[in-house]
Amino acid sequence: MQGETRGTANGLRAIEAVGLRREFGRLVAVDGVDLSIDRGGLFSLLGPNGAGKTTTIRMLCCLLRPTGGTARIGGHDIRDEPLAVKRIISVSPQETAIAEHLDAWENLSLMARLHGLGKEETRRRSGELLEMLALSGRAGDRVKRYSGGMKRRLSIAMALVSRPEVLFLDEPTLGLDPQSRRGLWEHIEGLKGDTTIVLTTHYLEEADALADRIAVIDYGKVIARGTPAELKASVPGAAVTVIEADLSGEATEALRQAYPNLRATESGVEIEDADVSLDRIVDLLRPLGVAVRSTYRRQVSLDDVFVHLTGRQLRE
Amino acid sequence: MRSLELAKRNFKGMWRDWLSLGVNVALPVALMLVLQALESVDDFFAPSSLAPGVVLFGFAMLTMTSAMALAQDRESSLFARLLTTPLRANDFVFAYSVPYVAVAVIQAIVVFAIGLFMGLGIEGNAGIVVLVLLLMAVWYVAAGMIIGAVTPYKAVTGPWTAVLLLTIFGGTWVNLEDIGGVFASVADWFPFAHALTAVRGVMIDGAGFGDVGSDLLWVLAYTVAVVLLAVVLFRGRMVE
């Protein structure tokens, strides 16, 4: 099996999953997922809602028992050695997970101490994180008086405070303002190398900016994997042509005859093809009475990769 | 010790919830004051006989409080996060139990202190009274852990009512000698009647270890069994 990130110092993978499967009754949420993630990189699981990302993470964190397959975190089996796994991981769940009756210092201290950090290191790490996530001004206030955004930031900080070997971030920036999101990205970048990070996200630009490697997951199966560049290169043509116009069914069909790799969007159509001629498009549409508002080319995005693989947009 | 860190968090949660804490301490005190007025009708309601029953009733209230706290936490995202830390099932049970056992001790001290003003006396070895009541405090809180570990938050009162009824019919303020029959026989299979027999025997008749040894063993065995069951059931709930 090919490593999801490049070589390791001691040959041990951070995460190794083989045929990981989880069923809920007749529903197969995760269907034979193989993962091989080397130490120190950032690996992203990308997929729509209900694809099986969170279920996969819950199994890797020993919260959910696989119904098939196995996985090892830092060489420890998730079924047989859950305690050893939990010593080296930390999780930022999708939902805000904080103790409302404690203040921010107490919340961070709780997680740090449960992961075995000393008092001094706990204080130092907590201070750094509170500063980074702009919470230091209210650090002594009970968390139940915080705004939703502040609670979200604290929840993420609680996953970061222990400096784990393996960090699972399940949609970490959901609900964060752009400034906090950018600050968190920088912090996550800084963790790479020492910490192996597994990130699930809806934000394609986030995966694109941060991930060393990506696995695209859909209906519980990994349908593609590679670096962001490799995945984008798998889409025919290096660019996508965007045509913004009020297109009738006849006009769309005329374009599809000329360019089969066409998909309808809210504002017109997009064509995955490097050799699209804008003049030809105008020539095709003018006799049909269609006024083209604008046409332009953009680079292939991860959303295009997903559309190419599944025929659907990631956010559908 | 990691479990102490979690116990500290739970203790703060309880301590900062003044209303719940106040009710847990005030209710047994109110019962003590009200029921003691019946002493003129029946000696059973004399402070030395009544106080152990009121203490056990107060402990039963803590079964509900601790069960609700755990059941509510179990449904929270924070709890899922705590389950990914290197805490064992026994650490969780310990961390959730300690604050409530502490409240149970406070309850017992307050009830006995009020009883002293009313004329309560301890004829025998007070150490036996402390031992039995401490074991029962652990029993009741561990029962709360069992209920909280397996029951949804909204359904906690169901199994708790069973604990409460067994406590009352164990002889808190019902004299089993007067009732006799099936009630008394059934009560003998549970630790409540044994705990009350032992404590009242020491307090009123000056009984020693030799006199209450079998009752003590019943209480001890039940407490160990319930604590172990709480740990086993909790372990089963740590992974879905």
Side-chain angles (χ1 to χ4, degrees):
Chain A
M1 189 186 304
Q2 191 187 351
E4 304 288 5
T5 56
R6 282 193 300 274
T8 59
N10 58 11
L12 271 179
R13 301 252 189 260
I15 299 172
E16 187 109 53
V18 182
L20 207 57
R21 182 180 172 89
R22 174 70 198 208
E23 294 150 39
F24 296 99
R26 289 195 338 219
L27 173 77
V28 182
V30 174
D31 189 4
V33 164
D34 295 336
L35 296 171
S36 181
I37 305 170
D38 291 342
R39 288 181 193 275
L42 193 148
F43 181 83
S44 181
L45 278 174
L46 202 60
N49 280 335
K53 306 184 298 288
T54 298
T55 304
T56 302
I57 285 193
R58 283 171 62 78
M59 284 192 281
L60 295 175
C61 296
C62 309
L63 290 174
L64 208 55
R65 201 176 282 116
T67 48
T70 186
R72 300 178 82 81
I73 312 284
H76 305 291
D77 193 290
I78 57 169
R79 291 170 189 265
D80 301 333
E81 305 164 89
L83 209 61
V85 170
K86 290 173 182 180
R87 283 199 183 98
I88 61 170
I89 66 166
S90 185
V91 188
S92 173
Q94 215 172 98
E95 309 83 17
T96 300
I98 53 178
E100 298 262 350
H101 62 275
L102 302 181
D103 64 33
W105 280 107
E106 289 169 333
N107 268 287
L108 290 171
S109 172
L110 172 68
M111 292 314 295
R113 302 286 284 160
L114 289 181
H115 278 101
L117 260 66
K119 277 187 181 169
E120 190 49 47
E121 197 180 357
T122 295
R123 206 173 0 253
R124 187 178 55 75
R125 293 275 309 136
S126 301
E128 283 172 12
L129 286 165
L130 289 169
E131 192 67 40
M132 181 196 86
L133 291 168
L135 290 169
S136 45
R138 301 271 311 270
D141 292 357
R142 298 265 176 88
V143 166
K144 65 181 170 190
R145 299 190 192 117
Y146 282 16
S147 68
M150 290 170 78
K151 288 178 182 178
R152 186 82 200 118
R153 299 204 294 273
L154 176 63
S155 182
I156 295 160
M158 286 167 73
L160 304 176
V161 71
S162 61
R163 283 237 163 201
E165 280 182 40
V166 180
L167 175 62
F168 293 96
L169 300 171
D170 196 1
E171 304 278 0
T173 55
L174 202 68
L176 284 190
D177 58 88
Q179 193 183 348
S180 297
R181 184 179 300 169
R182 187 64 60 179
L184 187 64
W185 284 12
E186 283 171 19
H187 189 81
I188 291 170
E189 278 285 354
L191 292 173
K192 283 160 77 170
D194 296 331
T195 302
T196 307
I197 303 162
V198 179
L199 170 85
T200 75
T201 181
H202 266 84
Y203 297 113
L204 300 164
E205 68 276 20
E206 191 164 275
D208 210 352
L210 295 173
D212 300 316
R213 293 187 76 85
I214 293 170
V216 181
I217 188 165
D218 193 31
Y219 293 116
K221 290 184 175 174
V222 173
I223 54 172
R225 62 184 84 213
T227 64
E230 285 168 353
L231 288 172
K232 288 183 211 168
S234 70
V235 176
V240 172
T241 303
V242 181
I243 301 161
E244 293 183 341
D246 295 324
L247 294 168
S248 62
E250 188 188 5
T252 305
E253 199 46 46
L255 286 172
R256 198 186 301 278
Q257 294 280 331
Y259 301 104
N261 287 333
L262 171 145
R263 67 170 181 267
T265 65
E266 283 179 7
S267 57
V269 291
E270 292 185 352
I271 302 168
E272 285 171 12
D273 199 326
D275 300 321
V276 172
S277 158
L278 299 181
D279 290 340
R280 191 177 169 208
I281 287 170
V282 173
D283 288 346
L284 276 168
L285 296 177
R286 190 179 295 140
L288 300 170
V290 175
V292 175
R293 284 195 299 276
S294 68
T295 60
Y296 58 90
R297 284 204 174 91
R298 62 168 175 77
Q299 293 299 302
V300 168
S301 71
L302 288 173
D303 198 30
D304 300 317
V305 173
F306 193 78
V307 171
H308 178 68
L309 290 167
T310 68
R312 313 189 314 275
Q313 283 193 294
L314 194 61
R315 293 178 201 277
E316 279 176 10
Chain B
M1 212 170 132
R2 288 184 169 104
S3 54
L4 275 178
E5 293 298 329
L6 184 57
K8 211 158 58 177
R9 171 255 170 184
N10 292 337
F11 198 83
K12 280 177 188 166
M14 198 182 62
W15 195 248
R16 289 171 185 176
D17 182 6
W18 279 98
L19 188 65
S20 169
L21 193 64
V23 167
N24 272 303
V25 177
L27 190 66
V29 170
L31 277 170
M32 188 73 187
L33 295 171
V34 170
L35 292 174
Q36 195 268 336
L38 299 173
E39 186 183 359
S40 56
V41 182
D42 189 338
D43 280 350
F44 185 75
F45 294 101
S48 298
S49 174
L50 182 63
V54 170
V55 167
L56 247 57
F57 182 82
F59 289 176
M61 298 303 294
L62 286 176
T63 299
M64 184 177 70
T65 315
S66 58
M68 287 179 105
L70 179 57
Q72 192 171 29
D73 263 15
R74 265 183 50 230
E75 291 168 12
S76 72
S77 301
L78 177 67
F79 197 75
R81 162 170 266 165
L82 293 172
L83 288 176
T84 65
T85 65
L87 288 171
R88 295 180 169 89
N90 54 304
D91 293 324
F92 275 100
V93 171
F94 174 84
Y96 275 86
S97 298
V98 162
Y100 294 98
V101 171
V103 175
V105 169
I106 294 168
Q107 268 183 347
I109 289 172
V110 172
V111 168
F112 271 70
I114 288 170
L116 283 173
F117 280 108
M118 296 173 173
L120 176 147
I122 300 177
E123 297 296 323
N125 184 348
I128 300 174
V129 174
V130 171
L131 178 64
V132 172
L133 291 181
L134 200 56
L135 284 171
M136 285 309 292
V138 173
W139 187 96
Y140 277 103
V141 175
M145 295 296 103
I146 290 173
I147 296 170
V150 299
T151 316
Y153 176 69
K154 286 180 179 169
V156 160
T157 46
W160 170 74
T161 305
V163 171
L164 186 70
L165 289 175
L166 285 169
T167 300
I168 291 170
F169 288 106
T172 48
W173 42 76
V174 177
N175 194 344
L176 289 175
E177 285 177 12
D178 291 346
I179 298 174
V182 177
F183 268 116
S185 304
V186 172
D188 268 347
W189 286 99
F190 293 97
F192 321 105
H194 292 282
L196 289 169
T197 302
V199 172
R200 285 175 179 147
V202 172
M203 289 176 67
I204 298 166
D205 304 324
F209 270 108
D211 306 309
V212 297
S214 65
D215 293 313
L216 200 55
L217 276 176
W218 270 91
V219 172
L220 182 65
Y222 254 103
T223 304
V224 171
V226 169
V227 169
L228 288 177
L229 186 61
V231 172
V232 169
L233 289 175
F234 195 92
R235 185 175 296 142
R237 296 285 163 151
M238 288 180 77
V239 57
E240 287 177 51

